Amino acid sequence: MNTGGIIEDVKSSNTKVKDNLSLVYYSRTGKTERFIEKVTEVFDIPTSSINEYQSGKYILITPTYNFGEVPVEINEFLSNHNENMVAVMSAGNRNWGQNFAKSGETLSKKYNVDLIGKIEMMGTQSDIEKLVNYIKQLE
């Protein structure tokens, strides 16, 4: 991966986020998990799947299924853990047109949290930078 700009700045500063913030994700096909792996290659932040989540503030990374819907597993998770979500980032496929990564919009409105952005498939360097920039402005 080409790591320029902010990614190099983050790597060289050994930035570690506050211990009370993590990335929580759901990944049925592995694409969202691969995005999380790419983020943690350049930014030191705790991560967990929705099944491993314990406690604390988190940013949710979720796929979008069935042409714009929030995965059932995410809705079930949030029924018990929405109070600690500070923001959401969603993934999808641009072939879905206006429903591309729509789960993030839906959750942002429902839970009144920031929508950091939408990523296609496993995300790009620009998507990683957008997430890292968002986290850094929280510190």
Side-chain angles (χ1 to χ4, degrees):
M1 172 180 15
N2 176 11
T3 56
I6 185 159
I7 299 302
E8 285 302 323
D9 292 342
V10 169
K11 281 181 152 182
S12 66
S13 68
N14 288 328
T15 302
K16 176 147 177 56
V17 297
K18 296 175 187 172
D19 290 331
N20 65 343
L21 181 68
S22 65
L23 300 179
V24 175
Y25 67 93
Y26 173 69
S27 185
R28 183 183 308 161
T29 65
K31 291 181 181 95
T32 306
E33 185 173 25
R34 182 62 189 125
F35 176 72
I36 294 292
E37 290 169 358
K38 291 191 312 186
V39 170
T40 59
E41 287 172 7
V42 298
F43 195 67
D44 189 12
I45 185 168
T47 66
S48 66
S49 72
I50 60 172
N51 297 324
E52 300 167 332
Y53 172 76
Q54 298 289 317
S55 64
K57 300 289 183 190
Y58 66 90
I59 294 171
L60 180 66
I61 314 295
T62 181
T64 302
Y65 292 132
N66 301 324
F67 300 98
E69 295 178 17
V70 176
V72 170
E73 296 85 351
I74 290 291
N75 282 325
E76 290 172 357
F77 171 77
L78 290 173
S79 70
N80 295 313
H81 302 290
N82 67 72
E83 68 282 349
N84 286 323
M85 181 172 50
V86 297
V88 63
M89 194 168 203
S90 56
N93 188 316
R94 291 195 187 277
N95 291 341
W96 297 350
Q98 67 183 15
N99 290 325
F100 165 63
K102 190 167 182 171
S103 62
E105 291 175 38
T106 302
L107 295 173
S108 174
K109 289 176 187 170
K110 182 174 182 177
Y111 295 105
N112 194 30
V113 297
D114 291 336
L115 173 61
I116 299 170
K118 297 178 176 186
I119 62 174
E120 184 167 27
M121 309 301 260
M122 295 176 284
T124 64
Q125 179 179 336
S126 176
D127 297 322
I128 294 168
E129 289 176 2
K130 187 180 290 186
L131 177 57
V132 169
N133 279 331
Y134 181 87
I135 294 166
K136 288 176 73 67
Q137 64 89 25
L138 291 175
E139 298 178 330

